[in-house]
């Protein structure tokens, strides 16, 4: 990342209380109470360094990239390409051109489904997803399978919210071309055994796309060690801006895929008879990109990277364990998703209560949680529930937040009973 | 206009609550008391889907006035429905069609009628007005 743009952050020991101070929004009140933000699975809050980077970009560097010979354009281009390098290092990709900027996880998955699918899916080929997928990792595959007369198969899950790996094994076959699953489930928090999924899929010659939207805020991902073919995630869930995301793809695969969208930046030469396309990564980045988004995302990655991954994971595991223990003491409360390996996400239902009512009464007490089906309707159908209340934690949450949540929940239940 | 008189009445009642809890306890209470919609109407045809909570709505014309019953799977949504029933049920179709439901805002429940809540209430009010409009044309 460009030194001129990136705020300098010193390496520090993990301290959630100190971290809170980096996030201006956490100082505000909601409905007359201090905000307790437990909807990090939907979007995470932004540290001051990200906000400042965005502000500084528009004040000092704003210009279009890859075009101008003038000073500002070069500054902006440099910052944007430095941001790509920051992302590359973060996920340990071999080359910066394997890192594509997109609008977000949804856009990344659509890019692969559409571009790879149109070129490589033949009638009768199979794409495998799982029961716990977000709609963003279901619908793009349904669309392309429909178009290419391919077959969509779904890995069942156990009641605990873990993939049925034996069933997955039996779904893999000669016609399996793509396996697309969540690294971490947004509704349940389950951390899927992606190493096994990748190994088993590759044995059958199938590619693997991981939806990493819910994973990257919580743990480090090494695409090379995983040997994953495609990896998608969003900027806004990892403390960066909205409207920007990443698609990592292996060089050979990306080179063999046709462009996703046509327009500026993705071309080498255009005549009315024929257009030749630009090389990676620009082939897949038509039009003026979300420049400040990319630069802001790099600032967010710089911010997260200052923390020792183990310390961050320990803190979040402590929150998860503490919240699980406290919530389980509430009569009638049932946690949905009890996998052995979970990210700091807790979905629950309460006997006889509608998630919407709970969410409304928590909001009145300044607590932000998500209620509903979390864009995973097939998963809710599996559990025969209309939705859940979901508390999803980030590194700036504390045990005190959990205590407030539990007290507010008890109060809500008194009111509803 | 009868509708506005009823709205003012509700606004006055809510002025008594200075705590959010009292207000919501009242709404929850209303929700629990609301007579359930006739079960034959609790079907796909009468369903107004919402992302968060669902609403069932049935309206019928009786002696020039629209009577409606409704239900929801969430009790707070149901409580707000009870207030809407109180204001709009039994009114003339043309008055329903042109009504300005300001009481929701005045009693501090505006957010429940915003599209982001996606609790079925916005669509329900829209549908009620459409029913009012259609019936006033028919009669």
């Amino acid at each position: 990342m460009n030194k001129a743009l990136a705020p300098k952050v010193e390496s520090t020991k993990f301290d959630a209380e100190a971290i809170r101070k980096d996030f201006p929004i956490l100082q505000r009140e909601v409905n007359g109470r201090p905000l307790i933000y437990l909807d990090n699975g939907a979007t995470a809050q932004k540290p001051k360094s990200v906000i400042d980077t965005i502000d500084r970009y528009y004040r000092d560097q704003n210009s279009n990239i890859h075009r101008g010979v003038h000073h500002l354009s070069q500054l902006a281009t440099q910052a944007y390409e430095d941001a790509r390098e920051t992302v590359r290092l973060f996920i340990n990709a071999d080359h910066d051109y394997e890192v594509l900027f997109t609008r977000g996880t949804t856009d990344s998955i659509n890019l692969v489904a559409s571009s790879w699918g149109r070129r490589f899916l033949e009638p009768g080929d199979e794409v495998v997803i799982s029961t716990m997928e977000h709609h963003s990792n279901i619908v793009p595959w349904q669309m392309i399978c429909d178009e290419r007369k391919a077959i969509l198969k779904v890995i069942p899950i156990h009641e605990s919210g873990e993939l049925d790996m034996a069933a997955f094994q039996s779904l893999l076959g000669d016609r399996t071309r793509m396996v697309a699953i969540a690294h971490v489930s947004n509704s349940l928090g389950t951390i899927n055994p992606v190493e096994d999924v990748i190994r088993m899929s590759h044995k059958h010659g199938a590619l693997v796309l991981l939806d990493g939207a819910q994973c990257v805020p919580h743990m480090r991902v090494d695409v090379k060690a995983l040997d994953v073919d495609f990896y998608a995630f969003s900027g806004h869930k990892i403390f960066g801006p909205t409207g920007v995301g990443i698609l990592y793809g292996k060089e050979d695969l990306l080179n063999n895929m046709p462009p996703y969208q046509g327009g500026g930046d993705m071309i080498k030469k255009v005549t009315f008879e024929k257009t030749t396309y630009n090389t990676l990564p620009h082939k897949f980045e038509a039009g003026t990109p979300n420049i400040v988004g990319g630069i802001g995302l790099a600032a967010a990655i710089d911010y997260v990277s200052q923390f020792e991954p183990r310390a961050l994971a320990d803190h979040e595991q402590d929150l998860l364990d503490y919240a699980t223990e406290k919530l389980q003491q509430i009569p009638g409360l049932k946690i949905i998703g009890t996998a052995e390996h979970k990210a700091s996400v807790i979905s629950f239902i309460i006997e006889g209560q509608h998630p919407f009512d709970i969410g409304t009464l928590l909001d009145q007490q300044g607590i932000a949680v998500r209620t509903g089906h979390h864009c995973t309707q097939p998963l809710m159908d599996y559990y025969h529930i209309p939705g859940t209340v979901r508390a999803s934690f980030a590194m700036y949450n504390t045990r005190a937040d959990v205590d407030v949540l539990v007290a507010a929940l008890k109060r809500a239940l008194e009111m509803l009973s | 206009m009868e509708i506005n008189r009823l709205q003012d009445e509700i606004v006055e009642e809510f002025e008594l609550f200075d705590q959010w809890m009292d207000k919501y306890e009242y709404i929850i209470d209303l929700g629990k008391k609301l007579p359930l919609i006739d079960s034959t109407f609790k079907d796909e045809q009468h369903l107004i889907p919402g992302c968060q909570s669902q609403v069932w709505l049935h309206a019928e014309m009786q002696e020039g006035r629209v009577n409606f019953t409704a239900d929801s799977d969430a009790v707070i949504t149901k409580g707000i429905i009870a207030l809407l029933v109180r204001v709009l049920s039994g009114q003339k179709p043309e008055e329903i069609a042109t009504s300005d439901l300001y009481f929701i805002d005045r009693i501090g429940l505006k957010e429940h009628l915003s599209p982001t809540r996606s609790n079925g209430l916005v669509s329900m009010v829209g549908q009620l007005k459409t029913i009012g409009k259609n019936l006033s044309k028919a009669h």
Side-chain angles (χ1 to χ4, degrees):
Chain A
M1 164 115 224
N2 192 329
K3 305 259 173 338
L5 288 172
K8 189 97 185 118
V9 267
E10 297 297 331
S11 208
T12 51
K13 201 180 167 296
F14 196 82
D15 175 357
E17 284 297 343
I19 288 169
R20 290 182 84 82
K21 299 199 176 83
D22 293 338
F23 291 79
I25 207 169
L26 296 179
Q27 322 306 323
R28 67 161 287 171
E29 293 191 341
V30 167
N31 289 321
R33 314 282 181 104
L35 165 67
I36 305 290
Y37 189 76
L38 302 177
D39 195 17
N40 297 285
T43 198
Q45 298 304 346
K46 320 306 172 198
K48 199 168 171 298
S49 62
V50 169
I51 298 167
D52 289 347
T53 299
I54 293 168
D55 182 74
R56 200 174 315 127
Y57 174 77
Y58 279 129
R59 285 178 192 281
D60 294 338
Q61 278 112 11
N62 178 52
S63 190
N64 211 332
I65 59 167
H66 300 142
R67 293 171 175 81
V69 293
H70 58 81
H71 180 70
L72 283 188
S73 176
Q74 284 174 13
L75 262 189
T77 303
Q78 188 64 47
Y80 193 64
E81 292 306 324
D82 283 350
R84 198 189 302 278
E85 175 64 11
T86 300
V87 178
R88 181 194 76 76
L89 280 169
F90 183 62
I91 59 173
N92 195 33
D94 269 332
H95 308 289
D96 57 0
Y97 50 78
E98 292 176 318
V99 174
L100 311 181
F101 282 115
T102 63
R103 287 188 293 133
T105 307
T106 300
D107 193 34
S108 298
I109 297 171
N110 273 281
L111 190 160
V112 177
S114 174
S115 167
W116 173 87
R118 275 202 192 112
R119 169 83 37 107
F120 294 103
L121 271 183
E122 298 294 336
D125 281 350
E126 292 164 8
V127 172
V128 177
I129 59 171
S130 88
T131 304
M132 69 177 84
E133 297 312 311
H134 189 282
H135 295 162
S136 295
N137 200 28
I138 300 175
V139 184
W141 300 112
Q142 270 176 338
M143 287 162 69
I144 194 66
C145 284
D146 202 35
E147 189 182 317
R148 302 296 301 159
K149 306 278 176 286
I151 300 155
L152 189 65
K153 297 203 161 180
V154 183
I155 310 169
I157 59 169
H158 298 295
E159 178 73 23
S160 60
E162 290 163 305
L163 291 176
D164 181 339
M165 293 300 278
F168 172 51
Q169 180 67 63
S170 65
L171 284 180
L172 288 166
D174 297 344
R175 300 302 302 265
T176 314
R177 295 285 172 263
M178 174 69 76
V179 175
I181 65 157
H183 195 159
V184 170
S185 155
N186 70 313
S187 297
L188 307 171
T190 312
I191 303 171
N192 283 317
V194 293
E195 293 86 354
D196 293 339
V197 168
I198 292 165
R199 190 176 37 78
M200 289 159 73
S201 303
H202 284 173
K203 212 178 261 180
H204 283 82
L207 300 176
V208 176
L209 175 144
L210 292 181
D211 167 358
Q214 297 292 334
C215 180
V216 288
H218 305 292
M219 62 196 92
R220 292 300 287 265
V221 171
D222 183 330
V223 292
K224 207 154 59 177
L226 282 174
D227 193 23
V228 67
D229 301 291
F230 297 103
Y231 199 92
F233 65 95
S234 297
H236 70 100
K237 293 201 203 292
I238 184 168
F239 316 105
T242 54
V244 69
I246 295 295
L247 173 67
Y248 159 81
K250 285 180 181 165
E251 178 181 5
D252 290 352
L253 295 168
L254 292 176
N255 271 326
N256 287 325
M257 283 157 56
Y260 174 43
Q261 289 172 332
D265 230 22
M266 54 77 72
I267 50 91
K268 192 176 276 170
K269 185 170 172 57
V270 178
T271 65
F272 285 118
E273 288 69 41
K274 186 173 169 58
T275 293
T276 51
Y277 304 122
N278 206 337
T279 50
L280 292 176
H282 312 294
K283 182 171 94 174
F284 290 105
E285 296 181 353
T288 296
N290 183 352
I291 304 167
V292 72
I295 296 168
L297 169 56
I301 288 174
D302 281 345
Y303 181 82
V304 179
S305 301
Q306 73 182 303
F307 306 111
E308 210 271 302
R310 190 67 253 163
L312 193 151
D314 286 349
H315 171 66
E316 293 193 354
Q317 184 68 45
D318 177 68
L319 284 177
L320 178 68
D321 293 344
Y322 184 69
T324 304
E325 188 201 318
K326 291 282 171 185
L327 287 171
Q328 270 171 340
Q329 290 168 8
I330 293 175
L333 187 144
K334 185 181 174 203
I335 292 175
I336 304 292
T338 52
E340 198 187 330
H341 301 289
K342 275 179 72 173
S344 50
V345 173
I346 301 187
S347 255
F348 61 86
I349 53 171
I350 295 172
E351 208 186 329
Q353 305 299 344
H354 196 287
F356 175 79
D357 293 324
I358 305 273
T360 300
L361 297 178
L362 291 179
D363 173 54
Q364 286 298 314
Q365 300 174 76
I367 299 169
V369 292
R370 173 90 187 262
T371 59
H373 53 60
H374 318 297
C375 297
T376 55
Q377 284 177 349
L379 181 64
M380 297 298 120
D381 291 345
Y382 167 82
Y383 285 109
H384 304 291
I385 51 178
T388 71
V389 180
R390 182 189 69 182
S392 49
F393 302 95
M395 56 184 174
Y396 42 63
N397 290 121
T398 60
R399 281 188 172 210
D401 291 344
V402 176
D403 291 336
V404 177
L405 168 70
V406 171
L409 200 52
K410 285 180 180 160
R411 198 167 186 188
L413 289 171
E414 276 168 27
M415 290 174 69
L416 286 162
S417 65
Chain B
M1 196 174 168
E2 177 73 358
I3 288 178
N4 287 357
R5 194 188 59 75
L6 289 164
Q7 292 200 84
D8 294 340
E9 207 175 271
I10 292 171
V11 171
E12 223 165 278
E13 281 170 25
F14 271 74
E15 273 165 6
L16 296 173
F17 306 130
D18 48 4
Q19 296 276 327
W20 71 270
M21 277 183 68
D22 300 335
K23 187 165 81 182
Y24 273 91
E25 266 168 358
Y26 181 63
I27 294 165
I28 290 163
D29 204 37
L30 286 176
K32 285 183 178 161
K33 279 189 198 142
L34 183 71
L36 293 177
I37 195 169
D38 190 312
S39 60
T40 54
F41 298 130
K42 218 170 156 178
D43 56 12
E44 278 290 317
Q45 213 192 323
H46 292 82
L47 178 69
I48 301 172
C51 182
Q52 298 278 353
S53 58
Q54 318 202 82
V55 170
W56 291 267
L57 172 68
H58 173 68
E60 59 187 18
M61 194 74 165
Q62 250 173 9
E63 295 162 10
R65 286 167 188 269
V66 187
N67 287 328
F68 75 88
T69 49
D71 198 0
S72 172
D73 51 354
V75 73
I76 292 174
T77 307
K78 223 164 128 177
I80 297 168
I81 289 173
L83 294 172
L84 288 164
V85 168
R86 186 168 146 196
V87 170
L88 293 179
S89 190
Q91 305 297 338
K92 292 175 187 151
E94 58 273 17
E95 286 183 356
I96 292 173
T98 57
S99 63
D100 166 23
L101 297 172
Y102 56 81
F103 81 101
I104 295 284
D105 195 1
R106 296 237 185 116
I107 63 176
L109 292 177
K110 192 182 167 191
E111 73 264 24
H112 286 284
L113 275 173
S114 89
T116 58
R117 281 276 153 157
S118 193
N119 53 13
L121 282 174
V122 183
S123 314
M124 185 188 106
V125 170
Q127 203 151 317
L128 268 172
K129 289 196 171 184
T130 309
I131 291 169
K133 204 164 141 191
N134 292 342
L135 287 174
S136 56
K137 270 187 227 152
H139 289 260

